[in-house]
Amino acid sequence: QDLYYVETATGNKTLITHNDHKEIDDYTFAPDSKWIAYTDPGKARAFDVIKLYQIGSKKIVQVTDAWYNSYQPQFSPDGKLLYFISARDFNPTYSHTEWNHAYNDMQKPYYVRLAVDVKSSFQVENDEVAIKTDSAADNKPEVKDSKNKKEAPKKDTAKPDEVIVKVDEDNLGDRIESLPVAAGNYNNLSATSEGVYYTSNTVGKDRTLKYFSLKDKKENEIGDFGGYVISADTKKILFR
């Protein structure tokens, strides 16, 4: 199957990639519409990998390697992170009759920091507290001159900065981090400005909808929902 990029204004289409083995149905646009992230199906027994395609230069950048199965790429709204799901946890269970092992619950949500200057959400924070000391100068009463007082000019409301996705290829794979959640079976990944939604379950348990907050650095369970849709502004969610 082929994956194309089609310009709606002209109808011109550009071939992004071709795969002889599987369908390519897992792809998404970056917030600046200059990059496309997609899952490239592995050949034969090879695992699926996440790749980036830059529309302007037609360059392809591989994000994950073929050692682990990875899929469902999703950009953060600010374009600094690329979330995805990957099977990288190996916790074997053993059979009491066959004396053989099996691997279940191997997946977790991950993200990669696309640019070098993007800080990790889980870096060690400085918890030092500054102590303010009272001085004589601080205790002096404030003198106001009402005669020469001028009204401060009104400031224009700041417009949100334009989103520009920056990708530093060097050591890109070294900037992959996992969310600190239990390994299981994950699906339906959706990124917001402060975290990510997903559905997950483990062997013997029903699938539930959860939200991981990068601000609070913790996972919150929402309920037993198999499917959901988030509004464009990520402020409302429709469950099924």
Side-chain angles (χ1 to χ4, degrees):
Q1 188 183 42
D2 297 327
L3 177 63
Y4 286 96
Y5 165 71
V6 181
E7 296 181 13
T8 56
T10 62
N12 296 332
K13 65 179 183 179
T14 302
L15 177 65
I16 297 176
T17 187
H18 171 81
N19 192 286
D20 292 323
H21 302 273
K22 299 178 183 177
E23 294 182 355
I24 306 172
D25 55 3
D26 189 15
Y27 54 88
T28 184
F29 276 90
D32 63 354
S33 299
K34 295 181 180 180
W35 292 84
I36 296 173
Y38 65 96
T39 301
D40 190 14
K43 299 178 181 180
R45 291 190 174 185
F47 289 127
D48 299 351
V49 298
I50 305 293
K51 292 183 178 180
L52 291 168
Y53 175 80
Q54 190 176 34
I55 296 174
S57 64
K58 300 179 182 180
K59 178 173 62 176
I60 293 178
V61 179
Q62 184 165 326
V63 179
T64 63
D65 54 44
W67 283 99
Y68 311 102
N69 198 36
S70 304
Y71 59 98
Q72 284 194 20
Q74 289 289 325
F75 288 94
S76 61
D78 58 8
K80 295 181 179 180
L81 304 176
L82 180 68
Y83 293 93
F84 61 94
I85 296 171
S86 188
R88 304 183 180 214
D89 274 61
F90 296 87
N91 300 300
T93 56
Y94 292 88
S95 169
H96 291 289
T97 57
E98 298 174 344
W99 294 102
N100 205 343
H101 58 270
Y103 293 92
N104 297 304
D105 300 334
M106 296 179 59
Q107 303 165 356
K108 276 187 179 182
Y110 291 78
Y111 71 75
V112 57
R113 292 176 282 123
L114 295 176
V116 175
D117 56 356
V118 177
K119 296 181 179 180
S120 170
S121 300
F122 304 105
Q123 66 181 359
V124 178
E125 298 179 355
N126 187 355
D127 59 356
E128 291 184 3
V129 179
I131 300 176
K132 183 178 180 181
T133 58
D134 295 333
S135 62
D138 295 334
N139 295 327
K140 289 182 178 179
E142 183 180 358
V143 179
K144 297 182 179 180
D145 187 358
S146 59
K147 295 181 180 180
N148 299 325
K149 185 178 180 181
K150 294 183 179 179
E151 185 178 354
K154 295 182 179 179
K155 295 182 180 180
D156 295 332
T157 303
K159 296 181 180 180
D161 295 334
E162 180 184 1
V163 175
I164 299 177
V165 177
K166 177 185 176 184
V167 178
D168 294 322
E169 296 181 50
D170 293 339
N171 302 317
L172 183 61
D174 294 337
R175 298 195 296 274
I176 294 176
E177 300 180 57
S178 67
L179 298 186
V181 296
N185 302 302
Y186 288 81
N187 212 333
N188 301 326
L189 199 68
S190 296
T192 68
S193 58
E194 294 185 352
V196 59
Y197 289 94
Y198 47 79
T199 58
S200 70
N201 74 294
T202 56
V203 173
K205 294 185 179 181
D206 294 332
R207 184 171 296 274
T208 58
L209 175 62
K210 298 177 181 179
Y211 177 75
F212 188 90
S213 171
L214 291 179
K215 181 180 179 181
D216 300 330
K217 298 178 177 58
K218 66 178 183 179
E219 182 184 64
N220 299 289
E221 184 172 329
I222 299 175
D224 298 333
F225 303 103
Y228 69 97
V229 177
I230 298 179
S231 61
D233 59 2
T234 70
K235 293 183 179 180
K236 293 182 180 180
I237 185 169
L238 180 65
F239 304 107
R240 184 183 64 186

